[in-house]
């Protein structure tokens, strides 16, 4: 089990908006980050500090959150957004890091 | 260019030892913690542990404590993940990653990743 909980799968129609959520008590205290992983590739950071986008990440990807829930929103979803998405944060002790179980985003 | 370059794929038998490496370049190696992450076949990411290059302080996930060792060779800017006795359940891709180089250490984000090392343990 993971200290961060994600829905296993989310589907979104091409060009529509999809949202992936991450829930955990540690999010009340520690920063969340999000990673995109495509088959056969290493993870890539797509969001950090709840709503900060690294260089090169399209602005159709945004982050938000409050309390113990963080969200990653993909507006105008494209075929290339189809991937596994993971959230991460420190655990409630602050001494370790944890990943959510991952969400498989399918663009229909 | 900032890079973490990992050693190549390994095939081992149960009970054998193994050390995989992660060499950093293009940045100040001592300035950023190096973390290791496991991904078992078809499964999600799992944080294993981390090492601070300033003082070699390590801490591990309880799930991995006592089964793996993380270490450094500062002379070649390289971190290692080591097993003394592999098990079939260690079959996975292992990634090294660093926190905060581009995103700032305050945000605890893994912003640079190695390419991964596939470890297969089979009799």
């Amino acid at each position: 089990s993971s200290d961060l909980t994600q829905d296993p799968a989310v589907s979104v129609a091409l060009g529509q908006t999809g949202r992936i959520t991450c829930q955990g008590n540690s999010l009340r205290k520690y920063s969340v980050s999000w990673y995109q992983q495509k088959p056969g590739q290493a993870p890539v950071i797509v969001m950090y500090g709840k709503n900060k986008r690294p260089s090169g990440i399209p602005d159709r990807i945004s982050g938000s959150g409050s309390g113990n829930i963080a969200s990653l929103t993909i507006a105008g979803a494209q075929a290339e957004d189809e991937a596994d998405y993971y959230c991460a944060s420190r655990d409630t002790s602050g001494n370790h890091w944890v990943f959510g179980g991952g969400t498989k985003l399918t663009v229909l | 260019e900032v890079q973490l370059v990992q050693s190549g794929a390994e095939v081992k038998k149960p009970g054998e030892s193994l050390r995989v490496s992660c060499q950093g370049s293009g940045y100040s190696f001592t300035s950023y913690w190096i973390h290791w992450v496991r991904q078992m076949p078809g499964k999600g990411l799992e944080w294993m542990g981390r090492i601070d290059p300033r003082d070699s302080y390590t801490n591990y996930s309880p799930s991995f404590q006592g089964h793996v060792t993380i270490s450094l060779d500062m002379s070649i800017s390289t971190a290692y993940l080591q097993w003394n006795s592999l098990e079939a359940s260690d079959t996975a891709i292992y990634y090294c990653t660093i926190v905060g180089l581009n995103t700032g250490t305050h945000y605890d984000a893994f912003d640079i990743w190695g390419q991964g090392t596939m470890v297969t343990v089979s009799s």
Side-chain angles (χ1 to χ4, degrees), chain A:
Chain A
S1 66
S2 172
D3 293 347
L4 298 177
T5 301
Q6 298 182 238
D7 291 329
V10 168
S11 297
V12 58
L14 186 68
Q16 297 303 302
T17 297
R19 175 172 291 179
I20 299 167
T21 61
C22 174
Q23 184 171 0
N25 286 332
S26 65
L27 301 184
R28 297 183 186 278
K29 184 174 181 180
Y30 297 108
S31 182
V32 68
S33 52
W34 291 92
Y35 305 87
Q36 177 193 72
Q37 187 181 34
K38 297 182 179 179
Q41 297 183 19
V44 173
I45 185 169
V46 294
M47 197 64 57
Y48 66 99
K50 186 165 64 177
N51 58 6
K52 297 185 183 340
R53 198 179 307 108
S55 173
I57 303 303
D59 59 8
R60 66 175 182 274
I61 297 178
S62 62
S64 62
S66 178
N68 70 332
I69 298 178
S71 299
L72 186 73
T73 300
I74 301 170
Q78 303 298 305
E80 62 261 31
D81 298 325
E82 188 163 287
D84 294 324
Y85 290 84
Y86 297 90
C87 60
S89 178
R90 294 196 190 222
D91 70 359
T92 51
S93 76
N95 293 323
H96 305 123
W97 277 251
V98 290
F99 287 92
T103 298
K104 182 175 182 60
L105 179 71
T106 300
V107 179
L108 303 172

Side-chain angles (χ1 to χ4, degrees), chain B residues 19-40:
Chain B
R19 189 177 74 169
V20 299
S21 66
C22 169
Q23 185 171 40
S25 63
Y27 73 99
S28 173
F29 186 76
T30 56
S31 297
Y32 302 95
W33 300 341
I34 296 173
H35 300 244
W36 288 93
V37 174
R38 182 176 79 174
Q39 188 166 40
M40 298 176 74

Side-chain angles (χ1 to χ4, degrees), chain B residues 17 33-34 40 43 53 82 93 96 102 105 115 119:
Chain B
S17 62
W33 300 341
I34 296 173
M40 298 176 74
K43 302 299 184 182
Q82 180 174 334
I93 298 173
C96 60
N102 292 323
T105 55
Q115 82 275 22
V119 174

